[in-house]
Amino acid sequence: MIQIRADRSRLWIVLGLLAVLHFAVRPRLGMSSVAPDFLMLALLLYAIRSRPGAAAVAGFLVGLAGDALAPSRIGAGALAHTVVGYVAAWGRAVFFPDNLFVNGLVIALGVWIRNAIVLIASGPAAGGLTMALLVWSPLQAITTAFTAALVLVLFQRWLDIRLEA
Amino acid sequence: MAPGSDRSLSRRDNALFLVCVALSVVMLVRPDWGNRVTSMVRVSVLRPFLWMQQRAEESRTSRAAFDRLRAERDSAAYAAQFLPSLRAENQRLRSLLGLGKRLTIPYVPAEVLHQSVPTDGRTLILSAGQNQGVQPFDAVVSSAGLLGVVRWVEPDRSVALTWAHPEFRASAFTQPGQVFGVIGPALQVTGSEQLLQLKGVAIRDSVPIGTLVTTSGLGGVYPNGIPVGTVFGQATEETGWERIYLVRPAANPEEATQVLILRNPKGTPVGQAFVADSAP
């Protein structure tokens, strides 16, 4: 029991670190539409270690924060993060192995699906959806997946993950 | 774990998911409720994070944008050399026409706190709020032109609705030509470039490509003369009662890092713009 608690508190430390990175480091990277989304990464790391219900609630809270920060269409972010959190948690229960590539792929897919739901729920805009869905979202998904790989390698003991090549 | 217990956990997971989806849909359908909730989240839970982001944003702009700012300062200094003679000439012409002093618009500088969601450019969080004198419906501009309007104001932050937002509208006219219309985003699904539309142009008026579009000042929200963009084509209009022109925007909200919030001149006295009554 003590071991489980220790693992859980380490997970929370990593998630807290990612939240700080999102607000303190991400703005310094520039290119906001391509820079890695640390909050989304934190949500997915939490989701694939939790039950789907808890992941959905975490997704809703992260999405609500996203809606508060970019209130273009309030509710779109909450809906997108809820769906992605829930699906990621279910997916983990079904097929995720402890493989760096698969983890990265799941995180990249999560970011892209989140962006797609947000864009579709927000309706048409001045720039259209094509560039956002086919260029900027995949680029953000890739940078987030690379960051995820780095985090998983650095904190694999804390996240209790045995990575295969 | 017993199968029954597993089933009940699964039911609880599904119930939690459905509740979260329902709450999200309620906020989508009733944006006024969502606004209240998100505003509370911004001023409470997210406040320290936004403070952190503002410091990071300031640090980035102070380093990376130094060269750009220096170039802009050099251009401004060059233009300012002609300012005294222009000012004197303007004053002389105004006095000849019997006009008073030109109104000056106070402004508040602010940093843009960009976010990671793909709809970031439609609204912008600005690092100045009520404490700095910002009010709802103050115009937001960058050095290139019009960005949008302040929609919600909080003590230290404000939220601007940019021209990329589907609800954005502004009265505009062309220079030269004085053709009036309403500017708004060119809403599209498959496009790849962010564009504006100048709608409501009378069918008898035509605007050549390359014409500058600026705000007209009608409506009292945006001051007259802020560059909006340049006409680069004509869109098809089905009813045949108006002309619609496509406008390439002057300023891009997604790239804006520092902006000026023009304080609404409603609060400033306008008496100085008029000649004093000569009647005894």
Side-chain angles (χ1 to χ4, degrees), chain A residues 8-28:
Chain A
R8 210 64 185 169
S9 63
R10 282 172 179 175
L11 173 67
W12 283 109
I13 290 171
V14 175
L15 299 184
L17 186 69
L18 287 171
V20 171
L21 286 173
H22 187 82
F23 291 98
V25 174
R26 192 176 186 279
R28 292 168 206 259

PDB file of all heavy atoms in Angstrom, chain A residues 8-28:
ATOM      1  N   ARG A   8       2.060   6.828  -6.664  1.00  0.00           N
ATOM      2  CA  ARG A   8       1.032   7.811  -7.026  1.00  0.00           C
ATOM      3  C   ARG A   8       1.550   9.230  -6.774  1.00  0.00           C
ATOM      4  O   ARG A   8       1.319  10.124  -7.581  1.00  0.00           O
ATOM      5  CB  ARG A   8      -0.216   7.532  -6.181  1.00  0.00           C
ATOM      6  CG  ARG A   8      -1.516   7.895  -6.852  1.00  0.00           C
ATOM      7  CD  ARG A   8      -1.768   7.062  -8.086  1.00  0.00           C
ATOM      8  NE  ARG A   8      -2.969   7.518  -8.760  1.00  0.00           N
ATOM      9  CZ  ARG A   8      -3.351   7.139  -9.963  1.00  0.00           C
ATOM     10  NH1 ARG A   8      -2.610   6.297 -10.652  1.00  0.00           N
ATOM     11  NH2 ARG A   8      -4.450   7.586 -10.509  1.00  0.00           N
ATOM     12  N   SER A   9       2.241   9.425  -5.642  1.00  0.00           N
ATOM     13  CA  SER A   9       2.737  10.784  -5.346  1.00  0.00           C
ATOM     14  C   SER A   9       3.819  11.184  -6.349  1.00  0.00           C
ATOM     15  O   SER A   9       3.902  12.338  -6.744  1.00  0.00           O
ATOM     16  CB  SER A   9       3.253  10.881  -3.913  1.00  0.00           C
ATOM     17  OG  SER A   9       4.335  10.015  -3.759  1.00  0.00           O
ATOM     18  N   ARG A  10       4.619  10.202  -6.812  1.00  0.00           N
ATOM     19  CA  ARG A  10       5.624  10.514  -7.838  1.00  0.00           C
ATOM     20  C   ARG A  10       4.937  10.911  -9.152  1.00  0.00           C
ATOM     21  O   ARG A  10       5.387  11.826  -9.843  1.00  0.00           O
ATOM     22  CB  ARG A  10       6.527   9.301  -8.073  1.00  0.00           C
ATOM     23  CG  ARG A  10       7.565   9.142  -6.996  1.00  0.00           C
ATOM     24  CD  ARG A  10       8.269   7.833  -7.198  1.00  0.00           C
ATOM     25  NE  ARG A  10       9.300   7.615  -6.213  1.00  0.00           N
ATOM     26  CZ  ARG A  10       9.989   6.499  -6.116  1.00  0.00           C
ATOM     27  NH1 ARG A  10       9.754   5.506  -6.945  1.00  0.00           N
ATOM     28  NH2 ARG A  10      10.922   6.346  -5.196  1.00  0.00           N
ATOM     29  N   LEU A  11       3.852  10.199  -9.472  1.00  0.00           N
ATOM     30  CA  LEU A  11       3.101  10.545 -10.686  1.00  0.00           C
ATOM     31  C   LEU A  11       2.593  11.985 -10.587  1.00  0.00           C
ATOM     32  O   LEU A  11       2.711  12.766 -11.531  1.00  0.00           O
ATOM     33  CB  LEU A  11       1.920   9.586 -10.873  1.00  0.00           C
ATOM     34  CG  LEU A  11       0.957   9.924 -12.011  1.00  0.00           C
ATOM     35  CD1 LEU A  11       1.639   9.774 -13.363  1.00  0.00           C
ATOM     36  CD2 LEU A  11      -0.282   9.037 -11.970  1.00  0.00           C
ATOM     37  N   TRP A  12       2.069  12.340  -9.407  1.00  0.00           N
ATOM     38  CA  TRP A  12       1.557  13.708  -9.231  1.00  0.00           C
ATOM     39  C   TRP A  12       2.668  14.744  -9.350  1.00  0.00           C
ATOM     40  O   TRP A  12       2.437  15.840  -9.865  1.00  0.00           O
ATOM     41  CB  TRP A  12       0.844  13.844  -7.878  1.00  0.00           C
ATOM     42  CG  TRP A  12      -0.526  13.231  -7.915  1.00  0.00           C
ATOM     43  CD1 TRP A  12      -0.935  12.096  -7.296  1.00  0.00           C
ATOM     44  CD2 TRP A  12      -1.663  13.704  -8.662  1.00  0.00           C
ATOM     45  NE1 TRP A  12      -2.238  11.815  -7.590  1.00  0.00           N
ATOM     46  CE2 TRP A  12      -2.723  12.799  -8.422  1.00  0.00           C
ATOM     47  CE3 TRP A  12      -1.886  14.788  -9.492  1.00  0.00           C
ATOM     48  CZ2 TRP A  12      -3.983  12.953  -8.986  1.00  0.00           C
ATOM     49  CZ3 TRP A  12      -3.147  14.945 -10.063  1.00  0.00           C
ATOM     50  CH2 TRP A  12      -4.172  14.047  -9.803  1.00  0.00           C
ATOM     51  N   ILE A  13       3.868  14.386  -8.872  1.00  0.00           N
ATOM     52  CA  ILE A  13       4.999  15.322  -9.007  1.00  0.00           C
ATOM     53  C   ILE A  13       5.308  15.559 -10.489  1.00  0.00           C
ATOM     54  O   ILE A  13       5.499  16.702 -10.928  1.00  0.00           O
ATOM     55  CB  ILE A  13       6.241  14.789  -8.259  1.00  0.00           C
ATOM     56  CG1 ILE A  13       6.005  14.859  -6.751  1.00  0.00           C
ATOM     57  CG2 ILE A  13       7.500  15.594  -8.626  1.00  0.00           C
ATOM     58  CD1 ILE A  13       7.065  14.170  -5.919  1.00  0.00           C
ATOM     59  N   VAL A  14       5.314  14.471 -11.272  1.00  0.00           N
ATOM     60  CA  VAL A  14       5.590  14.605 -12.719  1.00  0.00           C
ATOM     61  C   VAL A  14       4.497  15.443 -13.379  1.00  0.00           C
ATOM     62  O   VAL A  14       4.786  16.343 -14.188  1.00  0.00           O
ATOM     63  CB  VAL A  14       5.698  13.211 -13.387  1.00  0.00           C
ATOM     64  CG1 VAL A  14       5.847  13.349 -14.895  1.00  0.00           C
ATOM     65  CG2 VAL A  14       6.879  12.443 -12.825  1.00  0.00           C
ATOM     66  N   LEU A  15       3.235  15.188 -12.999  1.00  0.00           N
ATOM     67  CA  LEU A  15       2.128  15.948 -13.592  1.00  0.00           C
ATOM     68  C   LEU A  15       2.228  17.437 -13.218  1.00  0.00           C
ATOM     69  O   LEU A  15       1.997  18.316 -14.053  1.00  0.00           O
ATOM     70  CB  LEU A  15       0.772  15.389 -13.139  1.00  0.00           C
ATOM     71  CG  LEU A  15       0.477  13.931 -13.518  1.00  0.00           C
ATOM     72  CD1 LEU A  15      -0.930  13.533 -13.096  1.00  0.00           C
ATOM     73  CD2 LEU A  15       0.644  13.702 -15.015  1.00  0.00           C
ATOM     74  N   GLY A  16       2.583  17.705 -11.956  1.00  0.00           N
ATOM     75  CA  GLY A  16       2.765  19.096 -11.511  1.00  0.00           C
ATOM     76  C   GLY A  16       3.885  19.779 -12.279  1.00  0.00           C
ATOM     77  O   GLY A  16       3.762  20.942 -12.696  1.00  0.00           O
ATOM     78  N   LEU A  17       4.961  19.026 -12.488  1.00  0.00           N
ATOM     79  CA  LEU A  17       6.102  19.556 -13.250  1.00  0.00           C
ATOM     80  C   LEU A  17       5.681  19.913 -14.678  1.00  0.00           C
ATOM     81  O   LEU A  17       6.059  20.969 -15.213  1.00  0.00           O
ATOM     82  CB  LEU A  17       7.220  18.508 -13.275  1.00  0.00           C
ATOM     83  CG  LEU A  17       8.542  18.926 -13.889  1.00  0.00           C
ATOM     84  CD1 LEU A  17       9.237  19.957 -13.019  1.00  0.00           C
ATOM     85  CD2 LEU A  17       9.448  17.718 -14.080  1.00  0.00           C
ATOM     86  N   LEU A  18       4.871  19.056 -15.269  1.00  0.00           N
ATOM     87  CA  LEU A  18       4.397  19.315 -16.642  1.00  0.00           C
ATOM     88  C   LEU A  18       3.501  20.557 -16.680  1.00  0.00           C
ATOM     89  O   LEU A  18       3.570  21.350 -17.632  1.00  0.00           O
ATOM     90  CB  LEU A  18       3.643  18.095 -17.184  1.00  0.00           C
ATOM     91  CG  LEU A  18       4.507  16.890 -17.542  1.00  0.00           C
ATOM     92  CD1 LEU A  18       3.656  15.671 -17.858  1.00  0.00           C
ATOM     93  CD2 LEU A  18       5.401  17.201 -18.741  1.00  0.00           C
ATOM     94  N   ALA A  19       2.668  20.731 -15.643  1.00  0.00           N
ATOM     95  CA  ALA A  19       1.806  21.925 -15.591  1.00  0.00           C
ATOM     96  C   ALA A  19       2.658  23.186 -15.508  1.00  0.00           C
ATOM     97  O   ALA A  19       2.378  24.187 -16.176  1.00  0.00           O
ATOM     98  CB  ALA A  19       0.856  21.827 -14.402  1.00  0.00           C
ATOM     99  N   VAL A  20       3.709  23.134 -14.692  1.00  0.00           N
ATOM    100  CA  VAL A  20       4.606  24.301 -14.575  1.00  0.00           C
ATOM    101  C   VAL A  20       5.310  24.560 -15.909  1.00  0.00           C
ATOM    102  O   VAL A  20       5.414  25.707 -16.364  1.00  0.00           O
ATOM    103  CB  VAL A  20       5.628  24.085 -13.432  1.00  0.00           C
ATOM    104  CG1 VAL A  20       6.696  25.162 -13.443  1.00  0.00           C
ATOM    105  CG2 VAL A  20       4.910  24.070 -12.090  1.00  0.00           C
ATOM    106  N   LEU A  21       5.768  23.484 -16.553  1.00  0.00           N
ATOM    107  CA  LEU A  21       6.425  23.633 -17.867  1.00  0.00           C
ATOM    108  C   LEU A  21       5.482  24.276 -18.876  1.00  0.00           C
ATOM    109  O   LEU A  21       5.895  25.083 -19.701  1.00  0.00           O
ATOM    110  CB  LEU A  21       6.880  22.265 -18.397  1.00  0.00           C
ATOM    111  CG  LEU A  21       8.103  21.627 -17.752  1.00  0.00           C
ATOM    112  CD1 LEU A  21       8.294  20.211 -18.287  1.00  0.00           C
ATOM    113  CD2 LEU A  21       9.346  22.443 -18.031  1.00  0.00           C
ATOM    114  N   HIS A  22       4.207  23.905 -18.798  1.00  0.00           N
ATOM    115  CA  HIS A  22       3.237  24.420 -19.763  1.00  0.00           C
ATOM    116  C   HIS A  22       3.138  25.946 -19.680  1.00  0.00           C
ATOM    117  O   HIS A  22       3.050  26.619 -20.702  1.00  0.00           O
ATOM    118  CB  HIS A  22       1.868  23.795 -19.494  1.00  0.00           C
ATOM    119  CG  HIS A  22       0.850  24.129 -20.540  1.00  0.00           C
ATOM    120  ND1 HIS A  22       0.768  23.460 -21.730  1.00  0.00           N
ATOM    121  CD2 HIS A  22      -0.105  25.093 -20.588  1.00  0.00           C
ATOM    122  CE1 HIS A  22      -0.193  23.977 -22.468  1.00  0.00           C
ATOM    123  NE2 HIS A  22      -0.743  24.973 -21.791  1.00  0.00           N
ATOM    124  N   PHE A  23       3.150  26.459 -18.457  1.00  0.00           N
ATOM    125  CA  PHE A  23       2.948  27.905 -18.314  1.00  0.00           C
ATOM    126  C   PHE A  23       4.262  28.692 -18.231  1.00  0.00           C
ATOM    127  O   PHE A  23       4.289  29.865 -18.580  1.00  0.00           O
ATOM    128  CB  PHE A  23       2.086  28.191 -17.071  1.00  0.00           C
ATOM    129  CG  PHE A  23       0.670  27.737 -17.240  1.00  0.00           C
ATOM    130  CD1 PHE A  23       0.243  26.527 -16.732  1.00  0.00           C
ATOM    131  CD2 PHE A  23      -0.233  28.511 -17.945  1.00  0.00           C
ATOM    132  CE1 PHE A  23      -1.064  26.103 -16.908  1.00  0.00           C
ATOM    133  CE2 PHE A  23      -1.541  28.097 -18.131  1.00  0.00           C
ATOM    134  CZ  PHE A  23      -1.951  26.886 -17.608  1.00  0.00           C
ATOM    135  N   ALA A  24       5.331  28.052 -17.769  1.00  0.00           N
ATOM    136  CA  ALA A  24       6.579  28.793 -17.580  1.00  0.00           C
ATOM    137  C   ALA A  24       7.581  28.606 -18.715  1.00  0.00           C
ATOM    138  O   ALA A  24       8.394  29.490 -18.965  1.00  0.00           O
ATOM    139  CB  ALA A  24       7.222  28.377 -16.253  1.00  0.00           C
ATOM    140  N   VAL A  25       7.524  27.472 -19.393  1.00  0.00           N
ATOM    141  CA  VAL A  25       8.529  27.203 -20.438  1.00  0.00           C
ATOM    142  C   VAL A  25       7.930  27.287 -21.846  1.00  0.00           C
ATOM    143  O   VAL A  25       8.552  27.829 -22.761  1.00  0.00           O
ATOM    144  CB  VAL A  25       9.175  25.812 -20.215  1.00  0.00           C
ATOM    145  CG1 VAL A  25      10.111  25.447 -21.352  1.00  0.00           C
ATOM    146  CG2 VAL A  25       9.917  25.791 -18.897  1.00  0.00           C
ATOM    147  N   ARG A  26       6.707  26.764 -22.000  1.00  0.00           N
ATOM    148  CA  ARG A  26       6.093  26.747 -23.333  1.00  0.00           C
ATOM    149  C   ARG A  26       6.051  28.124 -23.997  1.00  0.00           C
ATOM    150  O   ARG A  26       6.391  28.236 -25.184  1.00  0.00           O
ATOM    151  CB  ARG A  26       4.684  26.162 -23.226  1.00  0.00           C
ATOM    152  CG  ARG A  26       4.067  25.835 -24.542  1.00  0.00           C
ATOM    153  CD  ARG A  26       2.712  25.178 -24.375  1.00  0.00           C
ATOM    154  NE  ARG A  26       2.215  24.753 -25.660  1.00  0.00           N
ATOM    155  CZ  ARG A  26       1.623  25.563 -26.521  1.00  0.00           C
ATOM    156  NH1 ARG A  26       1.431  26.813 -26.216  1.00  0.00           N
ATOM    157  NH2 ARG A  26       1.219  25.112 -27.678  1.00  0.00           N
ATOM    158  N   PRO A  27       5.668  29.209 -23.282  1.00  0.00           N
ATOM    159  CA  PRO A  27       5.651  30.529 -23.945  1.00  0.00           C
ATOM    160  C   PRO A  27       7.020  30.945 -24.475  1.00  0.00           C
ATOM    161  O   PRO A  27       7.106  31.680 -25.446  1.00  0.00           O
ATOM    162  CB  PRO A  27       5.196  31.479 -22.837  1.00  0.00           C
ATOM    163  CG  PRO A  27       4.507  30.621 -21.856  1.00  0.00           C
ATOM    164  CD  PRO A  27       5.175  29.297 -21.900  1.00  0.00           C
ATOM    165  N   ARG A  28       8.098  30.462 -23.851  1.00  0.00           N
ATOM    166  CA  ARG A  28       9.451  30.835 -24.298  1.00  0.00           C
ATOM    167  C   ARG A  28       9.846  30.105 -25.584  1.00  0.00           C
ATOM    168  O   ARG A  28      10.780  30.515 -26.266  1.00  0.00           O
ATOM    169  CB  ARG A  28      10.487  30.505 -23.225  1.00  0.00           C
ATOM    170  CG  ARG A  28      10.363  31.375 -21.988  1.00  0.00           C
ATOM    171  CD  ARG A  28      11.221  30.807 -20.874  1.00  0.00           C
ATOM    172  NE  ARG A  28      10.698  31.190 -19.581  1.00  0.00           N
ATOM    173  CZ  ARG A  28      11.194  32.155 -18.840  1.00  0.00           C
ATOM    174  NH1 ARG A  28      12.225  32.834 -19.261  1.00  0.00           N
ATOM    175  NH2 ARG A  28      10.671  32.444 -17.676  1.00  0.00           N
TER     176      ARG A  28
END
